[in-house]
Amino acid sequence: MIPYGRQDISQPDIDAVVEVLKSDFLTQGPVVPRFEAAIAKKVDASFGVAVNSATSALHIAASALGLGPGDLLWTSPITFVASANSARYCGADVDFVDIDPDTYNMCPTALEKKLDQAEKNGRLPKILMPVHMCGQSCSMKEISELARSRGIRVIEDASHAIGGQYHGKPIGCCAYSDITVFSFHPVKIVTTAEGGMAITNDGALYKRMCLLRSHGVTRDPDIMESEPHGPWYYEQLELGWNYRMTELQAALGLSQLTRLDDFVERRTRLADRYDQLLQGQPLLLPTRQSDSQSSHHLYVVRLKDGNHLARRDAFDRLRADGIGVNVHYIPVHLQPYYENLGFQRGDFPHSESYYEQALSLPLFAGMTDDQQEKVVHSIGQALA
């Protein structure tokens, strides 16, 4: 089976992890801060807070921005459920903004229209969470302007997008947001096995997220409420969580980071080849935006005359032929949990239409040209 995504682990990656295994620290040692600094430097940002998953990063990001009961967060329906769930963890409400059918990202026009109505109703969101679907940046300049003019904070869910660029700057520089979140899951661009990171240029947000990821506990006397009783002393200042990243994960991430540019270059070449090899098939191919450079986490095609049954038939035929296609994503508002909150089919038509047609083709840095040609051949047969 040719999988839709796969990690690329090298001998230096293995050596880096083994070195940590032989060291004095398996967690809360010197490697995690080095990894945080390396990622922040790579994306031209000030601070990184490494955690055990991107879900945890989204949670502490929303919490650090003060999201809580009675507040509202808006995100995209086309994302993994973690984007919306991060607001629910904070006790806040969630709503969605429909996608642009060409980019699969949050649509700025739909956002502006919804914000205008929300302003009239006196119910603006506290946080916007645009999602860089497939690794291509949302229209962050427009989204940021719409948000900041209304006092709304912005978290970029860039789980797919490390190594990408927007307006000539690295995704993650936080030029258009308060916080950006990356994922290091094995199918992402670089991996720490499980893991994530919240990036920010705001020193106060950085300190708050550091506190929240580790039980709300500090050993820093500068922020304690009492004089330390001795060198053993610590204080819990608020309710946090155990979201720390291990030294093993950070060591793998540091090693992987040295190949980030190579990974993105290879993914881009494969995406370019798909664009050429799939010409003439009854498919809508991904749209490339001129103001951004995707990291190409996913290559999603849409069946031109697709409906749920046609897509299911193509999916089954390709899987039977050893092609590990997948579907990203089921619209979040159609999940039973969110339907129980009042969302229903028809609320976000572009997202629902996208879902009926979408198919993610295999794309990963270690994929060979021969494997890609097998995928294309099988697609031709499946759609014939």
Side-chain angles (χ1 to χ4, degrees), residues 40 43-49 65 153 172-174 177-180 197-207 209:
V43 299
D44 290 344
S46 300
F47 307 103
V49 182
L65 290 171
R153 311 301 288 269
C173 68
C174 294
S177 63
D178 298 283
I179 300 169
T180 300
M197 191 175 295
I199 301 290
T200 187
N201 293 324
D202 185 315
L205 286 176
Y206 166 70
K207 289 178 181 178
M209 290 191 290

Side-chain angles (χ1 to χ4, degrees), residues 246-281:
T246 69
E247 292 283 281
L248 302 171
Q249 292 169 300
L252 177 57
L254 267 172
S255 181
Q256 287 261 303
L257 186 60
T258 64
R259 293 187 287 154
L260 172 61
D261 294 341
D262 293 337
F263 287 158
V264 173
E265 182 180 351
R266 176 60 181 163
R267 287 173 173 270
T268 301
R269 182 175 179 274
L270 288 166
D272 290 344
R273 289 190 85 230
Y274 268 139
D275 287 349
Q276 297 166 5
L277 295 170
L278 291 172
Q279 291 296 324
Q281 296 289 352

Side-chain angles (χ1 to χ4, degrees), residues 58-300:
L58 292 168
H59 185 191
I60 63 169
S63 185
L65 290 171
L67 192 72
D71 293 328
L72 182 59
L73 178 146
W74 289 1
T75 189
S76 168
I78 300 300
T79 182
F80 187 57
V81 294
S83 307
N85 289 353
S86 64
R88 301 296 294 163
Y89 299 152
C90 296
D93 296 323
V94 174
D95 202 351
F96 302 93
V97 179
D98 210 352
I99 63 168
D100 180 320
D102 291 328
T103 66
Y104 317 149
N105 284 333
M106 182 181 286
C107 175
T109 302
L111 173 61
E112 183 172 21
K113 193 174 186 180
K114 188 160 184 154
L115 283 171
D116 287 344
Q117 187 60 51
E119 205 160 20
K120 290 177 185 176
N121 296 339
R123 179 69 163 141
L124 283 168
K126 186 165 191 172
I127 294 175
L128 282 180
M129 187 181 285
V131 179
H132 301 324
M133 180 65 181
C134 302
Q136 181 166 244
S137 177
C138 295
S139 299
M140 288 308 304
K141 185 174 184 295
E142 292 84 351
I143 290 171
S144 175
E145 288 170 355
L146 289 168
R148 288 176 176 171
S149 67
R150 294 166 172 84
I152 300 168
R153 311 301 288 269
V154 178
I155 299 172
E156 294 177 68
D157 185 341
S159 295
H160 294 188
I162 192 168
Q165 295 189 355
Y166 177 69
H167 283 196
K169 295 181 179 180
I171 293 173
C173 68
C174 294
Y176 302 100
S177 63
D178 298 283
I179 300 169
T180 300
V181 167
F182 293 126
S183 171
F184 306 124
H185 184 274
V187 298
K188 299 301 196 302
I189 313 299
V190 295
T191 187
T192 59
E194 288 279 4
M197 191 175 295
I199 301 290
T200 187
N201 293 324
D202 185 315
L205 286 176
Y206 166 70
K207 289 178 181 178
R208 182 109 198 278
M209 290 191 290
C210 286
L211 193 67
L212 290 171
R213 74 166 165 191
S214 191
H215 305 282
V217 166
T218 185
R219 293 182 182 273
D220 183 354
D222 291 338
I223 61 174
M224 288 180 181
E225 296 184 3
S226 305
E227 285 294 317
H229 301 169
W232 66 84
Y233 190 70
Y234 59 86
E235 286 186 346
Q236 181 182 347
L237 301 181
E238 57 181 305
L239 184 63
W241 303 277
N242 183 5
Y243 284 171
R244 294 187 298 262
M245 175 178 281
T246 69
E247 292 283 281
L248 302 171
Q249 292 169 300
L252 177 57
L254 267 172
S255 181
Q256 287 261 303
L257 186 60
T258 64
R259 293 187 287 154
L260 172 61
D261 294 341
D262 293 337
F263 287 158
V264 173
E265 182 180 351
R266 176 60 181 163
R267 287 173 173 270
T268 301
R269 182 175 179 274
L270 288 166
D272 290 344
R273 289 190 85 230
Y274 268 139
D275 287 349
Q276 297 166 5
L277 295 170
L278 291 172
Q279 291 296 324
Q281 296 289 352
L283 298 170
L284 295 172
L285 303 184
T287 301
R288 309 281 187 95
Q289 297 297 101
S290 60
D291 59 3
S292 65
Q293 178 182 317
S294 177
S295 58
H296 297 289
H297 165 54
L298 296 172
Y299 190 92
V300 176

